[in-house]
Amino acid sequence: MKIVAKKKLWKYLFWLGPFLITVGLTVGLVSEQWGLIPLVFIIAGIVISGLGIIWQSYQTNWWNRRSTQAGTNALVVTLAILAILGLINFLGTRYHLRADLTESQLFTLAPQSRQLVSVLAQPVKVWVFDINQNPQDRELLENYQRQSSKFKYEYINPEARPGLAEKFGVKNYGEVYLESGDKRQLVQTINENERLSEIRLTSRLQQLTNLTTAKVYLLQGHGERQLSAGKGAMSQAVQGLGDKNFTTAPLNLAETSKVPQDAAVVIVAGPKRELFQGEVNALQQYLNRGGNLLLMIDPNTDPKLNSLLQEWGVRLDNRLAVDVSGESVVGRGPAAPLVTEYGQHPITKDFGNGNSFYPISRPLEITSVPGVEATPLLRTKPYPSSWAESDLQSEKLEFNPDKDLKGPLTLGVALTRKQIPKSTSTPQALPTPSPTTQGKTSPNSSAKTPQVLPSPTTQGKTSPNSSAKTPQVLPSPTTTPLSPPTSSSQTTTESRLVVLGNSNFATDGLFQQQLNGDVFLNSVTWLSKQDQQPLSIRPKEPKNRRITLTTTQANLLIVSSLLVLPLIGLSAAVIIWWKRR
């Protein structure tokens, strides 16, 4: 009886072990604190369970049984699977691997956003003052947060925390603010119809973290594109520059006669009338001192910039660029070339095979010039898809081998040139020749006999005005330079020039289509030499993929799906049954 009672006691003690383990795990998971109490329960349970297994094996030779070995193997396999699943979950929470299968990569941040957030120098936080938390907005903010630990976001109920709302100046539900240090900026106001935009968030983030502001001047006075909203205006392009922290201003060189010193970039967008020679000279002087110029010249115009472009090896072709490959896709006719081939350049480095189109464009001819590095940016498809049309009056565009130029055509080019300004330091100089050598009397010459040296100007030759035995004297120090200025007094700067044979692509309505806006904004950013600003495709917005059916099409779809298709299936079944019968 004592032996039976002792066996029952150990049996109960064995089950006490799993019970204590369960208690310890429950306490730790509920409290979310793995302190002393849950650890004591777990360790005590493990010890008791282990002692119970050892005692059971000793009393009944339990460990050597076949059933015990099979059960142990099953337990080990189960624990191994649980450990593997736990490791996978741990790695899944630590490292994120996602696949975005949408056409426009809707749930993936654009390269510009990823690059900007990954190099944040100081913490940035997004405050969303709203009662409801939209899943789409949270997903976008989490995508940002995954790029850097310095990016945080928080949803705030303005009613629950009125002090914080008053601090930011919140007036309506849905306002989204960016904060970095002591700087705050309103991003946008979200609602049911307008969700949080990656474009606006990235643009505001760039403005908030960028400490420098570049000044961009747009030339006016020759029929250029107007800056305010209107037909053929560039108001969207100007707004895009403002979103990238550029300051824009009009420039009339006929009044100032000189490009301002604070000009980071000067834009000449679609002039219809010629520039005065003084204005062209001012632009040349601006480039010569390390300036940066963007020229967008349309066909059938002559702004008289040939002298400036010739120095850079660029010639404006007077023919019209024709592209029949994208006529049905773009829907704007063959005079709107569709470009999918881009040069290897920072402006177009992330474009891939994306689309951009340029209604009414002129080709460019590039020739090599010493000291100038040219990179074609935009190229049309080869002939017969594209060519340069010389007959601009004909309604039917056809290739003429005698007058037209076969594609591919270059519609845009980026150029750089090193500039070495004149030294401002005092150069070392040789004195003016003495009267004995030049036959002239210098009023500033000294009466003392100068030291004599062979003349560096005659290079061993005999002057007709001097004796062959008389050496050339060392001149007094007044004029002739002995050597160029030292390298420390010479600073090399780089001038940049982008020439595009079209300005229509950057006008309102076309600026936001495809990659048109990216070509303009990336060109200005590269010209401004702000290397800290990311150059890439702007964030993408969702595309509307709804299928809109007319009443006739909807009725036809209903009849075909509910009547025609079932009848076809039933008829096929009857025919097969009849043949087998």
Side-chain angles (χ1 to χ4, degrees), residues 530-549:
Q530 296 189 24
D531 298 332
Q532 69 274 15
Q533 293 197 23
L535 285 168
S536 60
I537 302 174
R538 291 174 297 158
K540 305 176 182 65
E541 293 285 23
K543 293 183 179 180
N544 186 359
R545 295 299 184 188
R546 297 179 184 145
I547 300 177
T548 304
L549 299 178

Side-chain angles (χ1 to χ4, degrees), residues 219-222 251-258 276 278-279 282:
L219 191 66
Q220 298 290 288
H222 317 90
L251 173 64
N252 193 329
L253 286 177
E255 298 176 352
T256 61
S257 72
K258 186 178 181 181
F276 294 117
E279 295 177 296

Side-chain angles (χ1 to χ4, degrees), residues 559-578:
V559 171
S560 62
S561 58
L562 298 181
L563 183 61
V564 176
L565 293 179
L567 285 177
I568 293 175
L570 180 61
S571 301
V574 170
I575 293 173
I576 294 174
W577 172 80
W578 182 263

Side-chain angles (χ1 to χ4, degrees), residues 63-334:
W63 188 257
N64 293 327
R65 294 178 182 177
R66 185 182 297 274
S67 60
T68 303
Q69 295 178 358
T72 303
N73 291 335
L75 178 62
V76 170
V77 172
T78 303
L79 293 176
I81 293 175
L82 292 176
I84 293 172
L85 292 177
L87 180 61
I88 292 174
N89 280 276
F90 171 77
L91 295 176
T93 57
R94 181 65 62 89
Y95 305 101
H96 300 280
L97 180 61
R98 308 174 64 206
D100 189 353
L101 303 180
T102 59
E103 178 188 359
S104 59
Q105 297 295 290
L106 186 60
F107 301 102
T108 303
L109 292 182
Q112 185 185 36
S113 303
R114 295 198 302 268
Q115 181 182 353
L116 183 63
V117 177
S118 62
V119 296
L120 287 175
Q122 57 184 352
V124 174
K125 189 169 184 178
V126 176
W127 299 87
V128 184
F129 292 90
D130 201 357
I131 299 177
N132 302 318
Q133 299 184 16
N134 184 272
Q136 180 180 341
D137 296 342
R138 286 187 63 93
E139 177 70 19
L140 177 61
L141 293 171
E142 289 175 0
N143 284 342
Y144 276 93
Q145 190 170 265
R146 292 188 186 102
Q147 307 302 319
S148 174
S149 60
K150 296 181 179 180
F151 186 95
K152 303 293 183 182
Y153 73 92
E154 185 176 351
Y155 276 84
I156 300 296
N157 184 350
E159 295 180 354
R161 302 179 65 179
L164 185 62
E166 183 179 357
K167 176 183 176 181
F168 280 84
V170 177
K171 298 179 180 178
N172 301 303
Y173 287 103
E175 291 187 3
V176 181
Y177 284 85
L178 262 175
E179 183 181 34
S180 178
D182 58 349
K183 296 187 295 184
R184 302 182 186 92
Q185 189 172 27
L186 176 65
V187 178
Q188 69 178 107
T189 301
I190 57 177
N191 51 52
E192 294 181 357
N193 299 322
E194 183 178 0
R195 304 316 319 162
L196 184 60
S197 169
E198 182 186 352
I199 292 178
R200 295 185 181 181
L201 184 55
T202 296
S203 299
R204 298 299 183 269
L205 181 61
Q206 191 173 35
Q207 293 181 22
L208 195 67
T209 57
N210 188 18
L211 301 179
T212 60
T213 301
K215 191 70 173 286
V216 176
Y217 287 92
L218 294 98
L219 191 66
Q220 298 290 288
H222 317 90
E224 290 89 353
R225 302 287 179 180
Q226 68 180 49
L227 308 184
S228 58
K231 184 178 180 180
M234 292 180 59
S235 62
Q236 292 179 345
V238 173
Q239 179 62 39
L241 291 175
D243 291 340
K244 292 181 72 66
N245 210 30
F246 288 102
T247 303
T248 58
L251 173 64
N252 193 329
L253 286 177
E255 298 176 352
T256 61
S257 72
K258 186 178 181 181
V259 177
Q261 292 292 336
D262 63 344
V265 182
V266 174
I267 300 176
V268 182
K272 295 180 174 59
R273 296 183 295 273
E274 63 184 52
L275 278 66
F276 294 117
Q277 185 59 43
E279 295 177 296
V280 178
N281 294 339
L283 293 177
Q284 289 177 313
Q285 293 171 5
Y286 171 66
L287 288 173
N288 291 337
R289 69 172 189 257
N292 310 286
L293 184 62
L294 171 60
L295 299 178
M296 300 188 294
I297 312 299
D298 296 315
N300 291 326
T301 60
D302 185 11
K304 299 299 181 183
L305 292 171
N306 294 334
S307 59
L308 183 150
L309 294 173
Q310 186 176 3
E311 297 179 359
W312 293 76
V314 180
R315 189 183 73 85
L316 300 173
D317 198 310
N318 293 324
R319 288 170 284 198
L320 179 68
V322 175
D323 181 10
V324 297
S325 62
E327 182 177 358
S328 59
V329 178
V330 179
R332 295 183 177 272

Side-chain angles (χ1 to χ4, degrees), residues 434 445-451:
S434 73
S445 61
S446 175
K448 296 181 180 181
T449 305
Q451 183 182 0

